[in-house]
């Protein structure tokens, strides 16, 4: 993934572990649990805890974790992904809080029913955890499968949302 050179970051101490929140001048470009798979090297990105969009994102994440917020109202900058990845990430936004879908259903939703593995790879590389809800995607049999932030966190996020 290639990130915009105007990117800045802030740190958020979530109940599920430390997180990095990143933004460009266009929107939120990344939210990762520290050390999660596919997280880019953020060491060169300046820390700007006073950045208004980063503050807004952290406030909304805090509301989400406290159970006061189910939806996010943040501009997103998903340009780090390929057009295919971006289409998958946009499709994830349609999964309602408390709901889930399968990789196969997600493949069908983007008009690529044979691309289940490619969809799974794109879901795994989602740079905006929680806000772009990749944790709501389950295996065809409803099992917890893959989550770059760890299956324990995926399970905790689904419980927080009341997913069956």
């Amino acid at each position: 993934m290639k990130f915009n050179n105007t990117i800045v970051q802030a740190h958020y101490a979530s109940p599920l572990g430390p997180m990095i929140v990143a933004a460009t001048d266009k929107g939120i470009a990344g939210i990762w649990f520290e050390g999660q798979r596919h997280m880019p090297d953020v060491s060169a990105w300046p820390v700007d805890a006073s950045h208004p969009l980063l503050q807004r994102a952290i406030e909304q994440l805090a509301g989400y974790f406290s159970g006061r917020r189910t939806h996010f109202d943040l501009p997103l900058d998903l340009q780090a992904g390929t057009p295919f990845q971006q289409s998958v990430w946009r499709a994830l936004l349609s999964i309602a809080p408390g709901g889930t879908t399968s990789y196969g259903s997600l493949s069908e939703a983007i008009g690529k029913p044979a691309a289940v593995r490619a969809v799974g790879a794109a879901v795994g590389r989602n740079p905006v955890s929680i806000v772009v809800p990749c944790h709501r995607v389950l295996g065809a049999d409803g099992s917890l499968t893959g989550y770059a932030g760890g299956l324990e966190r995926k399970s905790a996020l689904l419980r927080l949302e009341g997913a069956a």
Side-chain angles (χ1 to χ4, degrees):
M1 283 190 236
K2 187 166 174 67
F3 288 90
N4 184 306
N5 62 2
T6 65
I7 201 160
V8 294
Q9 66 172 311
H11 300 267
Y12 170 59
S14 87
L16 297 180
M19 300 184 84
I20 303 292
V21 182
T24 67
D25 53 354
K26 295 180 180 179
I28 297 297
I31 299 175
W32 301 274
F33 289 100
E34 284 187 7
Q36 83 176 45
R37 260 180 300 146
H38 311 298
M39 180 179 162
D41 178 4
V42 302
S43 61
W45 298 351
V47 174
D48 184 358
S50 66
H51 188 283
L53 187 52
L54 293 176
Q55 287 182 336
R56 190 168 139 205
I58 289 169
E59 287 171 10
Q60 290 189 20
L61 285 166
Y64 169 83
F65 280 112
S66 71
R68 293 177 287 121
R69 174 179 284 278
T70 57
H71 292 84
F72 294 90
D73 177 24
L74 298 165
L76 300 176
D77 182 350
L78 301 176
Q79 68 182 336
T82 66
F84 177 79
Q85 288 172 324
Q86 290 178 39
S87 72
V88 171
W89 301 336
R90 283 190 200 94
L92 292 170
L93 292 168
S94 68
I95 308 168
T100 60
T101 193
S102 68
Y103 294 96
S105 295
L106 195 58
S107 298
E108 290 177 20
I110 65 165
K112 306 272 186 190
V116 176
R117 287 181 187 256
V119 165
V123 169
R125 285 172 175 73
N126 167 31
V128 188
S129 298
I130 301 172
V131 173
V132 177
C134 55
H135 60 279
R136 297 179 187 153
V137 183
L138 305 176
D141 62 358
S143 62
L144 289 184
T145 58
Y147 184 65
L151 289 180
E152 306 81 24
R153 286 186 180 125
K154 181 173 188 168
S155 179
L157 293 169
L158 291 170
R159 277 193 313 274
L160 176 66
E161 295 180 358

